[in-house]
């Protein structure tokens, strides 16, 4: 499912116009991204938790030459699914 399909789903299930559903989906996604970028966790009960996780600096290898390279520390977004979400996917 992509963003447009999600917007269509929200519009169908809520009875909203597509423009209102678009605004709602964009607002939710923007809110989640903004909070995670600010270092906050976003927890949606029964769905999961979005957070920023730090990755330590490390030594890697250039796959073409095999030469060691230093990979800088970074922060990346992460998602941890709630147990109800995992159970729903597993029962599929």
């Amino acid at each position: 499912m992509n963003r447009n399909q999600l917007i269509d789903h929200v519009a169908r299930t809520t009875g909203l116009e597509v423009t209102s559903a678009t605004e709602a989906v964009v607002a939710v996604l923007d809110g989640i991204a903004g909070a995670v970028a600010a270092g906050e966790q976003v927890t949606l009960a029964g769905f999961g938790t979005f957070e920023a996780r730090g990755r330590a600096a490390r030594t890697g290898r250039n796959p073409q030459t095999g030469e060691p390279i230093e990979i800088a520390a970074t922060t990346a977004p992460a998602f941890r699914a709630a147990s109800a979400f995992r159970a729903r996917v597993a029962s599929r």
Side-chain angles (χ1 to χ4, degrees):
M1 176 180 284
N2 63 32
R3 183 185 290 224
N4 287 334
Q5 292 168 330
L6 179 60
I7 290 168
D8 289 340
H9 176 74
V10 169
R12 276 194 321 274
T13 58
T14 63
L16 291 173
E17 295 290 328
V18 173
T19 55
S20 297
T22 300
E23 291 172 1
V25 169
V26 169
V28 168
L29 296 177
D30 187 50
I32 292 170
V36 171
E40 300 174 34
Q41 279 189 351
V42 177
T43 302
L44 304 174
F47 187 73
T49 302
F50 297 89
E51 62 187 349
R53 290 187 190 154
R55 292 184 182 166
R58 62 195 187 279
T59 302
R61 295 222 174 257
N62 179 330
Q64 292 181 338
T65 65
E67 177 183 329
I69 57 172
E70 292 301 315
I71 301 171
T74 188
T75 302
F79 175 74
R80 184 175 58 245
S83 59
F85 185 23
R86 286 192 307 265
R88 184 172 178 182
V89 171
S91 68
R92 189 173 170 256

